């Protein structure tokens, strides 16, 4: 079964600091990878995704993530965070084909607090 | 604007009650999912459905059942609510043949069982 590990449960940064949130998954086959974000009081929404092509993908609000197949990783980055980036971030993985294709497995989440 | 709508934002129920959580999507998605979200535990899959009248158990189905009589509606049922089912419940939907698209989530239902 696939699993997703997010290394940091809670990250606290000052505005303008750089961000990197770690995500590793455990599945040897082809995968689709996602980062979702949940702002306080709002529903979960898709931040960015990778399924093929350039392993460096860009999402909304200046976020990017890099897929490194050899490390089974899909880390989320932002060069300069803002107070409005305070949220909970979830990494997720699914398989593009086969049994239960499209059913996503989520990590435990990382809470990011950005101090103004 | 496409949506996944959960019928209640907050619910308070008593131990032993039968509880229905409703989810409706207007995107003609085949897949629908119920997750519970607890601090430090992320999202855990309760049940999912790929089609009308079809359902499959997720990782934590005990104490829950589901119903999908129409494509747009997926109901989660707590047969006899217990305090350990106090949680945030999230409904999501996706396209069956487009796993790269990811999920669309509802706003969640925060259930408290007293």
């Amino acid at each position: 079964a696939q699993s997703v590990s997010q290394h940091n449960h809670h990250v606290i940064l000052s505005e303008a600091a750089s961000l990197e949130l770690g995500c590793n998954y455990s599945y040897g086959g082809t995968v689709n990878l996602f980062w979702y974000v949940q702002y306080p009081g709002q529903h979960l929404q898709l931040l960015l995704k990778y399924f093929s092509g350039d392993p460096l993908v860009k999402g909304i609000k200046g976020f990017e993530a890099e897929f490194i197949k050899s490390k089974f990783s899909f880390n989320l980055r932002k060069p300069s965070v803002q107070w409005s980036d305070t949220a909970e971030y979830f990494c997720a993985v699914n398989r593009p084909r086969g049994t239960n294709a499209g059913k996503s497995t989520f990590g435990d989440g990382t809470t990011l607090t950005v101090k103004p | 604007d496409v949506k996944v709508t959960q019928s209640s934002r907050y619910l308070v129920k008593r131990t032993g009650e039968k509880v229905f959580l409703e989810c409706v999507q207007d995107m003609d998605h085949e897949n629908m999912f119920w997750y519970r979200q607890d601090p430090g535990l992320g999202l855990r899959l309760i049940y999912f459905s790929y089609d009308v009248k079809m359902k499959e158990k997720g990782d934590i189905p005990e104490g829950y059942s589901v119903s999908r009589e129409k494509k747009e509606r997926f109901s989660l049922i707590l047969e006899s609510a217990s305090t350990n089912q106090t949680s945030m419940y999230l409904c999501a939907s996706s396209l069956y043949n487009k796993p790269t698209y990811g999920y669309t989530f509802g706003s969640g239902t925060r259930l408290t069982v007293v």
Side-chain angles (χ1 to χ4, degrees), chain B residues 30-88:
Chain B
E30 296 85 1
N31 301 342
M32 295 189 76
F33 306 85
W34 276 106
Y35 288 85
R36 62 178 283 177
Q37 181 181 11
D38 299 287
L41 297 178
L43 276 67
R44 293 180 291 167
L45 182 63
I46 305 171
Y47 268 96
F48 62 103
S49 169
Y50 285 137
D51 201 351
V52 176
K53 297 193 184 295
M54 295 183 68
K55 60 185 178 183
E56 293 197 36
K57 293 181 180 179
D59 301 317
I60 52 164
E62 296 77 20
Y64 303 94
S65 62
V66 290
S67 172
R68 194 163 181 204
E69 296 296 319
K70 293 184 178 181
K71 188 176 185 179
E72 66 270 20
R73 185 180 297 270
F74 192 37
S75 303
L76 180 69
I77 304 155
L78 285 66
E79 298 290 344
S80 177
S82 64
T83 54
N84 63 12
Q85 292 178 310
T86 292
S87 186
M88 172 69 88

Side-chain angles (χ1 to χ4, degrees), chain A residues 9 32 34 36 38 41-46 49 51 88 90 94-96 100-104 106-109, chain B residues 9 31 33 35 37-38 40-43 45 48 50 56 59 90 94 96 99-108:
Chain A
H9 287 117
N32 300 314
F34 307 86
Y36 290 87
Q38 187 174 34
Q42 296 188 26
H43 64 277
L44 270 157
Q45 56 188 287
L46 185 65
K49 62 185 178 183
F51 53 93
E88 190 160 17
F90 292 91
N94 71 25
R95 286 176 281 178
N100 294 334
K103 180 169 76 75
S104 290
F106 288 81
D108 291 345
Chain B
R9 191 77 173 98
N31 301 342
F33 306 85
Y35 288 85
Q37 181 181 11
D38 299 287
L41 297 178
L43 276 67
L45 182 63
F48 62 103
Y50 285 137
E56 293 197 36
D59 301 317
L90 299 179
S94 68
Y96 179 78
T100 60
Y101 282 19
Y103 289 1
T104 301
F105 282 92
S107 297

Side-chain angles (χ1 to χ4, degrees), chain A residues 38 40-43, chain B residues 6-11 88-90 106-111:
Chain A
Q38 187 174 34
Q42 296 188 26
H43 64 277
Chain B
Q6 294 184 232
S7 54
S8 303
R9 191 77 173 98
Y10 299 95
L11 275 179
M88 172 69 88
Y89 290 87
L90 299 179
S107 297
T109 296
R110 185 166 294 281
L111 173 67

